[in-house]
Amino acid sequence: MSRIKNYFLRQGLVRVKLDEYLAQNFYTAGYAGLQIVQSGLGTRVHIFAERPALIIGRRGATIRKLQAVFQKVFGLENVQISVSQPDNMELNARVQAFRIARALEMGYHFRRVAMATMRRIMEAGAAGVEVVISGKLTRERARFEKYHMGKVIKTGHAVDLYTDRAIAHARLPLGIIGVEVLIVEPEAAEPHIKVKPKEEAEAAVKELEEITSSAQVAGAVEEPVGGEAKGA
């Protein structure tokens, strides 16, 4: 059992290392995540990025370098790499965090960038969004600015189900600026209590009545048996 646990722990550690390596080296490409699938033929790594061309490189040069790094440094065997864009980039927290970081490095004002990003995210259908920018924003003293729109979930099991969170860093002359983006998926906006149609409600009531009647019949049958046993 311990060998099985160690195997999955090693796989998880390799995945985290790959994710950090790609996030540090390809944040300008809008790196969004990866999927690792292992089979008898080798390891297939699928990378999601906002601009796949920057990861593929000219005539696939960057892909070949990544294959060598994955095999020599991370110990993967027979690596095959594919790159594509995520399904909905506007609802991907890592893509949006890297966008804000790149905009700050280009000299745009942090408040203008944050508000524009939040508007795009809300227009894409998100239930809520929060952006936190911290560091030496305007002067030598560090501080943070927090902006939010819509419904933001911070606690409970819903955080794991409906939220996507990412952190990025922008390197500016005054120092490093931290960017945190929290996106609440559209599914979180749906009400937890739904009114069923009349047909479904009647079917549910009928089912409950049948269960109740069958339980009453079973109780009536068991009662005399218990009485006879007591009398005997």
Side-chain angles (χ1 to χ4, degrees):
M1 191 69 179
S2 60
R3 289 185 300 176
I4 298 175
K5 291 182 179 179
N6 291 334
Y7 171 79
F8 284 106
L9 287 175
R10 287 196 302 270
Q11 296 299 318
L13 185 60
V14 170
R15 178 184 177 84
V16 172
K17 289 181 178 179
L18 285 174
D19 187 69
E20 291 182 354
Y21 174 80
L22 293 172
Q24 291 177 0
N25 291 276
F26 295 102
Y27 82 100
T28 55
Y31 170 73
L34 80 161
Q35 289 181 349
I36 302 176
V37 179
Q38 292 187 341
S39 62
L41 300 176
T43 306
R44 185 173 186 84
V45 180
H46 190 84
I47 302 173
F48 296 97
E50 180 183 2
R51 292 183 283 181
L54 296 181
I55 297 181
I56 296 173
R58 187 174 182 181
R59 298 182 180 179
T62 308
I63 286 289
R64 289 191 292 270
K65 291 180 181 178
L66 282 178
Q67 288 177 341
V69 170
F70 289 173
Q71 292 178 167
K72 294 180 181 179
V73 179
F74 298 100
L76 301 180
E77 298 179 356
N78 193 16
V79 180
Q80 297 179 357
I81 302 176
S82 58
V83 187
S84 67
Q85 290 184 338
D87 293 335
N88 194 341
M89 291 187 293
E90 302 300 333
L91 298 181
N92 190 294
R94 178 168 274 176
V95 171
Q96 299 304 320
F98 285 155
R99 280 184 180 177
I100 295 176
R102 292 198 303 270
L104 294 177
E105 291 177 348
M106 294 171 62
Y108 290 96
H109 194 271
F110 63 90
R111 188 176 293 109
R112 179 181 178 183
V113 174
M115 297 303 294
T117 302
M118 289 193 300
R119 282 196 296 268
R120 284 198 306 266
I121 294 173
M122 295 301 293
E123 289 174 358
V129 57
E130 181 181 84
V131 176
V132 181
I133 302 177
S134 58
K136 297 179 181 179
L137 301 178
T138 56
R139 58 188 68 182
E140 288 295 330
R141 185 175 181 179
R143 61 190 178 92
F144 73 91
E145 294 279 344
K146 182 184 292 185
Y147 312 96
H148 63 87
M149 289 183 180
K151 175 182 178 182
V152 180
I153 302 174
K154 291 294 189 69
T155 60
H157 184 54
V159 174
D160 300 328
L161 293 178
Y162 300 121
T163 62
D164 186 18
R165 177 176 173 270
I167 295 175
H169 300 91
R171 297 170 178 83
L172 299 181
L174 289 177
I176 295 179
I177 303 297
V179 179
E180 180 182 358
V181 177
L182 177 68
I183 299 177
V184 182
E185 297 178 358
E187 291 78 6
E190 298 179 0
H192 298 285
I193 300 176
K194 298 182 179 179
V195 179
K196 292 185 176 181
K198 184 178 180 181
E199 295 78 9
E200 293 185 11
E202 292 177 353
V205 170
K206 186 176 181 181
E207 184 179 357
L208 290 174
E209 290 177 350
E210 292 177 355
I211 294 174
T212 304
S213 61
S214 62
Q216 292 176 353
V217 171
V221 172
E222 291 178 359
E223 186 174 355
V225 176
E228 291 176 2
K230 186 175 180 181

